[in-house]
Amino acid sequence: MLLQVKGINTYYGLSHILFDVSLEVDRGEVVVLLGRNGAGKTTTMRSIMGLTAPKNGTVTYHDQDITGLSPYKVARLGMGFVPEDRRIFPDLTVRANLEVGLKKSRNNDNKWTFERVFDLFPRLKELSRRRGGTLSGGEQQMLTIARTLMGNPDLLLLDEPSEGLAPIIVKSLGEFIDRIKQEGMTVLLSEQNVKFSLKHSDRAYIVDSGHIKYQGSIKDLEKDEDVKKRYLAV
Ligand code: ATP
């Protein structure tokens, strides 16, 4: 397993948010963490990345215990986190935004070059001289993902990537996920968009009120109308 989360409990102050959350992601998989608004998806991502340390339980990555390690150290080990709120640098050009990601790379044999990223996101090539802040929401989402790729991750955490995007952009986001999976990338996705997730993932976990309520293959989840109705409002 590339990533193993075992029985984590995470708090914000005194509020207990995650209850014994466990999940696993194997190399080459696209795994989705599904759940409604406020279910605990972002908190799970933050706990894995070290942005909010779990009170107990463990996070293991590359067979190394990374529980509570600072986010930049986790990033250096190869984990790339794309947060929900698309943190680009609005005053820097698209190209300069990508350079920031490149500098964070942990080694010199970076597989991700400008060329490769522009091949994946041709729109960013067209926009490369524009300032980040002038981009649309969908373009900023692509830029955030592209910048993270420049850091050469082997595990990509995408927190609700389809949120607030127009259907056509969601479609290209799906194509992007399919393509990097083909190229061997491992992805942990958090989503509320069930249709999108079912189409582009191999396995799913459902989180509800901070508890993992379901885990299984996408095929099994697709057939499980009861689970979908109960936890996903579909
Ligand atoms: P969303 O779609 O809203 O991002 P989510 O599944 O990602 O949903 P989380 O953001 O992980 O959910 O939130 C889980 C719970 O933690 C919610 O009840 C939320 O109100 C609470 N919460 C989130 N951030 C904080 C915070 N900084 N302080 C206190 N409570 C918080």
Side-chain angles (χ1 to χ4, degrees):
M1 285 295 158
L2 184 58
L3 176 75
Q4 260 181 320
V5 177
K6 266 195 196 156
I8 58 168
N9 286 274
T10 302
Y11 293 71
Y12 289 122
L14 292 176
S15 313
H16 194 171
I17 307 293
L18 297 185
F19 299 82
D20 292 321
V21 164
S22 296
L23 60 87
E24 291 185 337
V25 184
D26 208 354
R27 282 183 181 75
E29 280 191 305
V30 177
V31 174
V32 64
L33 181 63
L34 278 161
R36 296 188 184 112
N37 231 330
K41 302 181 296 296
T42 299
T43 309
T44 304
M45 295 288 201
R46 291 181 59 87
S47 301
I48 294 170
M49 198 60 208
L51 290 157
T52 305
K55 196 166 184 180
N56 50 44
T58 56
V59 182
T60 310
Y61 174 53
H62 281 293
D63 299 321
Q64 184 178 334
D65 185 351
I66 60 158
T67 324
L69 208 65
S70 57
Y72 83 93
K73 285 187 180 157
V74 177
R76 273 215 307 239
L77 290 172
M79 205 183 291
F81 178 48
V82 179
E84 205 176 348
D85 55 357
R86 293 162 210 166
R87 269 174 243 145
I88 55 138
F89 297 100
D91 294 328
L92 297 184
T93 63
V94 166
R95 197 180 168 90
N97 265 281
L98 292 174
E99 261 163 28
V100 174
L102 186 65
K103 286 199 189 101
K104 276 195 186 153
S105 174
R106 75 208 136 105
N107 54 33
N108 293 327
D109 58 333
N110 201 332
K111 285 181 283 181
W112 289 93
T113 56
F114 285 103
E115 203 178 31
R116 213 173 142 212
V117 159
F118 286 147
D119 180 48
L120 202 56
F121 299 107
R123 181 78 184 129
L124 291 182
K125 190 174 184 181
E126 291 166 30
L127 295 168
S128 64
R129 287 164 192 273
R130 286 262 297 274
R131 283 183 183 208
T134 66
L135 270 54
S136 72
E139 290 160 353
Q140 290 193 11
Q141 176 68 288
M142 285 178 208
L143 179 56
T144 316
I145 295 174
R147 190 184 61 199
T148 307
L149 290 177
M150 292 296 271
N152 207 22
D154 62 4
L155 171 63
L156 198 55
L157 306 185
L158 299 176
D159 194 12
E160 294 199 50
S162 79
E163 163 109 43
L165 299 182
I168 180 118
I169 311 285
V170 175
K171 188 166 175 262
S172 52
L173 183 71
E175 287 162 4
F176 156 77
I177 292 174
D178 293 348
R179 188 159 158 200
I180 55 167
K181 178 189 156 70
Q182 267 173 24
E183 294 179 10
M185 181 69 82
T186 309
V187 182
L188 176 61
L189 184 70
S190 101
E191 266 300 335
Q192 290 194 47
N193 184 334
V194 179
K195 202 172 150 207
F196 172 81
S197 305
L198 295 183
K199 200 162 169 200
H200 300 287
S201 320
D202 303 308
R203 284 195 304 118
Y205 291 86
I206 294 176
V207 61
D208 189 61
S209 307
H211 295 83
I212 297 288
K213 297 288 184 164
Y214 176 90
Q215 68 179 85
S217 70
I218 291 296
K219 272 191 185 151
D220 289 342
L221 178 57
E222 266 175 336
K223 286 182 280 187
D224 204 328
E225 296 303 329
D226 181 43
V227 165
K228 285 197 284 185
K229 230 179 254 159
R230 199 171 328 158
Y231 300 116
L232 303 172
V234 288

